[in-house]
């Protein structure tokens, strides 16, 4: 029996949440090289709260569910991380207002809305060596795969592959946003924790989708 769009959203959010919890130490270590060193801890705090309040989140619609997640994030992740992850979930939710059955094109719209929300809240752009440099190319790969006749699994796999490649490519860049930007050339040849996190999230969603 096919899953509903809401069930698909739940699968993705649960996988992202579990990824954040399982990789707390790894993401924090990456961030500690030239960043604040709190990225993994912040994510774990917010997404643990989502899982602990899972049954209480609004399920009247996909939008309601994502807005509920955004509220939990805003209460449990501080600073810039909290504001950008809240914006990502909130904008993704708003982009599917009134829709019950989501198409692949709707998923692309959610990706774009999330990225736009992150840019608005964090002030970052593509090329600044942030999670956007994995998220946006991943979304592009998803969209292109669907346009070429691929199914959802093909598209998620492609997004995961490109996000991982981009996380590797951005390692050589100089950071222009966040605490890492203050270190100048020292940020070269270091991973951006956000970009790596997005890549791991895409990879784990691809695996979860294939098993479901």
């Amino acid at each position: 029996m096919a899953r509903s769009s809401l069930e698909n959203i739940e699968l993705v959010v649960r996988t992202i949440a579990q990824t954040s919890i399982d990789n707390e130490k790894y993401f924090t270590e990456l961030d500690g090289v030239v960043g604040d060193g709190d990225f993994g801890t912040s994510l774990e705090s917010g997404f643990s709260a989502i899982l602990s309040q899972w049954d209480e989140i609004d399920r009247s619609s996909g939008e309601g569910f994502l807005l509920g997640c955004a509220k939990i994030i805003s209460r449990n992740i501080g600073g810039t991380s909290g504001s950008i992850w809240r914006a990502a979930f909130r904008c993704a939710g708003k982009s599917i207002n009134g829709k019950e059955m989501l198409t692949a094109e709707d998923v692309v719209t959610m990706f774009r809305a999330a990225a736009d929300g992150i840019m608005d809240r964090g002030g970052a752009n593509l090329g600044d060596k942030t999670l956007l440099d994995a998220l946006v190319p991943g979304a592009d790969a998803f969209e292109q795969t669907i346009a070429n006749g691929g199914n959802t699994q093909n598209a998620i796999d492609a997004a995961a592959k490109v996000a991982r490649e981009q996380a590797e490519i951005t390692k050589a860049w100089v950071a222009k946003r966040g605490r890492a930007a203050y270190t100048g050339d020292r940020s070269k040849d270091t991973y951006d924790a956000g970009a790596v996190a997005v890549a791991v999230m895409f990879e784990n969603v691809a695996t979860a989708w294939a098993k479901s």
Side-chain angles (χ1 to χ4, degrees):
M1 183 176 173
R3 291 190 305 271
S4 68
S5 292
L6 177 59
E7 288 170 331
N8 285 333
I9 291 172
E10 288 184 71
L11 172 67
V12 172
V13 172
R14 183 179 283 279
T15 303
I16 289 173
Q18 197 60 53
T19 299
S20 301
I21 294 164
D22 293 344
N23 291 277
E24 176 189 2
K25 183 179 178 184
Y26 174 48
F27 294 159
T28 293
E29 287 174 349
L30 288 179
D31 190 44
V33 178
V34 290
D36 290 335
D38 63 354
F39 179 73
T41 304
S42 294
L43 279 192
E44 190 279 334
S45 175
F47 285 106
S48 285
I50 284 176
L51 292 188
S52 68
Q53 298 172 51
W54 190 257
D55 293 336
E56 301 160 29
I57 304 173
D58 176 16
R59 282 176 173 73
S60 60
S61 64
E63 177 190 12
F65 181 76
L66 291 171
L67 293 183
C69 290
K71 289 178 182 177
I72 294 172
I73 287 171
S74 69
R75 292 195 296 265
N76 289 277
I77 304 180
T80 303
S81 282
S83 65
I84 64 172
W85 284 92
R86 174 186 177 274
F89 274 76
R90 187 175 186 278
C91 292
K94 288 288 188 183
S95 76
I96 55 170
N97 175 256
K99 296 190 175 183
E100 289 187 16
M101 293 301 296
L102 302 182
T103 64
E105 289 72 23
D106 291 326
V107 175
V108 172
T109 297
M110 291 168 71
F111 275 133
R112 303 292 183 215
D116 287 346
I118 291 169
M119 289 183 197
D120 288 343
R121 294 300 302 167
N125 291 300
L126 284 175
D128 286 348
K129 194 172 181 174
T130 70
L131 61 83
L132 288 167
D133 293 304
L135 176 61
V136 174
D140 290 342
F142 184 100
E143 182 176 29
Q144 191 61 51
T145 303
I146 294 297
N148 290 339
N151 62 25
T152 304
Q153 184 70 60
N154 300 148
I156 298 172
D157 288 343
K161 181 175 183 291
V162 169
R164 173 60 68 178
E165 289 170 351
Q166 286 301 121
E168 293 292 335
I169 289 170
T170 60
K171 184 180 180 183
W173 299 358
V174 173
K176 297 178 183 176
R177 285 285 166 183
R179 182 59 61 88
Y182 295 113
T183 67
D185 285 349
R186 275 189 54 219
S187 63
K188 279 186 177 180
D189 298 318
T190 63
Y191 285 109
D192 177 71
V196 173
V198 167
V200 178
M201 288 171 182
F202 267 127
E203 289 164 351
N204 288 351
V205 168
T207 299
W209 198 274
K211 290 179 178 178
S212 64

